[in-house]
């Protein structure tokens, strides 16, 4: 019996994004099949909302299927034991939270799919806040794990894996259940980390179980750098990212920075049969961004940290009003002044990047932040709730500031100006615009 390697585990993390695993009506037909048989019958389809499964194009999925078919001796021995996709990830029920259990001889292999709909984007935001250590979706993943190992207790070893949010769930299980002798290894493909409160609460468990966790990420991936890691076993893979476009509709992917976060981007597809691309160092850009984000998470006020991650979540939630209302988003007074002050403080302690380089690096983030606050992201009803919160919190200056960033406003000059003149950012919007008329020009 050949042991499964990272390539096979990553392939399983790709195929759980397909509709065969995500749609309840289809998944019932694949339970009990081996992966080789499934691949022989596979038909590619995009999601109902027009997005690609796992941001993987049809051509790329055909490469995955070809690899499975040409490694029959492995994949015909991997059986689809169970699929749990009963939980809706969004208000209209088109996106499902997906947990899959495979078997390979006497081993169980858990695969947790990445973020599913607004429900899990909201859960991501909650998990970034220090007021919460264990999120609802982490606990649900743990329950699925516990139920399955009880049901399939005759298997001798366990591997847990997941991509993106699924990778975070996998690491959560490693921390909570790493004491199980059966649990041999946990693979987190580009999964985000955990907040400070989690690290404090589970300090002993993390220390005891961290060696079982392996973090595997695209060299340019931007999700694995979020929050704090619970393992030092990091593998970075040379990127083979596509341009993140749908073959027919040319629809841009939801994830930014093109397809750097797609699980497929870690394959070498230069030959007919896929293999994991070569191991490299993490890109300098993401290495420095990781240091900056950790510095901000360590030193930010809790209210600012919450607003930062909740605002980014709103960009992904989009038109799901029910999830949006749960965010109860309000801009903390003086948020941007404190944020830029922290960035300047970081720059003094770490001279790897200049202040201007840091600002340039964060520009896509500020554009997304601006999109969440200013542009037509929500339904008109949702925007009404949002702007009511902005106005009632007397933070017009922050909203106006986001507009300027989005329009190419020189925000580094802005922060220098308020520091030099000790400008009072609490003044109303009319005075703010008048004060900085020359800068804006």
């Amino acid at each position: 019996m050949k042991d499964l390697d990272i390539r096979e585990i990553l392939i399983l993390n790709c195929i759980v994004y397909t509709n065969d695993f995500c749609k309840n009506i289809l998944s019932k037909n694949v339970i009990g099949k081996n992966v080789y048989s499934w691949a022989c019958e596979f038909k590619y389809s995009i999601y109902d909302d027009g997005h690609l499964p796992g941001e993987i194009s049809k051509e790329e999925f055909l490469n995955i299927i070809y690899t499975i078919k040409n490694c029959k001796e492995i994949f015909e021995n991997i059986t689809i034991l169970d699929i749990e996709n009963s939980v809706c990830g969004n208000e209209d029920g088109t996106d499902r939270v997906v947990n899959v259990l495979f078997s390979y001889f006497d081993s169980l292999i858990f695969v947790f799919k990445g973020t599913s709909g607004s429900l899990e984007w909201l859960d991501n935001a909650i998990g970034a806040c220090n007021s919460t250590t264990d999120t609802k979706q982490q606990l649900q993943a743990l329950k699925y794990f516990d139920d399955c190992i009880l049901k399939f207790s005759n298997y001798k070893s366990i591997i847990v894996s997941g991509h993106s949010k699924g990778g975070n769930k996998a690491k959560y299980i490693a921390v909570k259940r790493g004491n199980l002798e059966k649990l041999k290894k946990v693979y987190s493909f580009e999964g985000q980390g955990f907040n400070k409160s989690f690290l404090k609460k589970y300090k002993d468990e993390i220390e005891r179980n961290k060696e079982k966790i392996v973090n595997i990420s695209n060299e340019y991936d931007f999700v694995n750098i979020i929050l704090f890691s619970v393992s030092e076993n990091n593998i970075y893979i040379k990127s083979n990212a596509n341009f993140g476009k749908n073959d027919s509709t040319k629809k841009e992917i939801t994830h930014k920075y093109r397809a750097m976060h797609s699980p497929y981007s870690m394959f070498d597809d230069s030959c007919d049969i896929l293999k994991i691309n070569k191991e490299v160092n993490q890109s300098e850009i993401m290495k420095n961004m990781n240091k900056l984000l950790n510095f901000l998470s360590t030193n930010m006020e809790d209210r600012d940290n919450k607003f930062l991650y909740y605002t980014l979540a709103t960009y992904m939630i989009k038109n799901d009003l029910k999830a949006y209302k749960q965010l109860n988003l309000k801009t903390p007074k003086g948020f941007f002044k404190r944020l830029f002050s922290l960035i300047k403080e970081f720059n003094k302690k770490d001279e790897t990047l200049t202040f201007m380089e840091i600002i340039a690096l964060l520009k896509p983030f500020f554009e997304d932040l601006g999109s969440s606050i200013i542009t037509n992201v929500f339904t008109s009803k949702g925007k009404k709730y949002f702007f009511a919160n902005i106005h009632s919190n007397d933070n017009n200056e922050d909203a106006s500031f986001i507009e300027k960033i989005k329009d190419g406003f020189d925000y580094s000059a802005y922060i220098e100006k308020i520091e030099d003149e000790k400008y009072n950012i609490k003044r109303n919007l009319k005075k703010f615009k008048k004060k900085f008329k020359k800068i804006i020009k």
Side-chain angles (χ1 to χ4, degrees), residues 141-152:
L142 182 65
K143 184 179 185 303
Y144 179 74
F145 175 84
D146 288 342
D147 290 346
C148 285
I149 64 172
L150 184 62
K151 182 178 180 180
F152 301 99

Side-chain angles (χ1 to χ4, degrees), residues 154-198:
N154 56 314
Y155 287 83
K156 295 180 180 178
S157 64
I158 301 170
I159 295 172
V160 181
S161 69
H163 174 251
S164 193
K165 183 174 183 62
N168 175 269
K169 293 175 181 178
K171 289 186 285 189
Y172 179 80
I173 290 169
V175 171
K176 297 281 286 185
R177 297 291 183 265
N179 60 308
L180 294 175
E181 187 179 349
K182 281 186 177 182
L183 181 52
K184 303 300 183 183
K185 193 66 70 176
V186 173
Y187 296 101
S188 172
F189 296 103
E190 304 178 329
Q192 73 267 32
F194 300 86
N195 63 43
K196 293 184 294 184
S197 297
F198 182 90

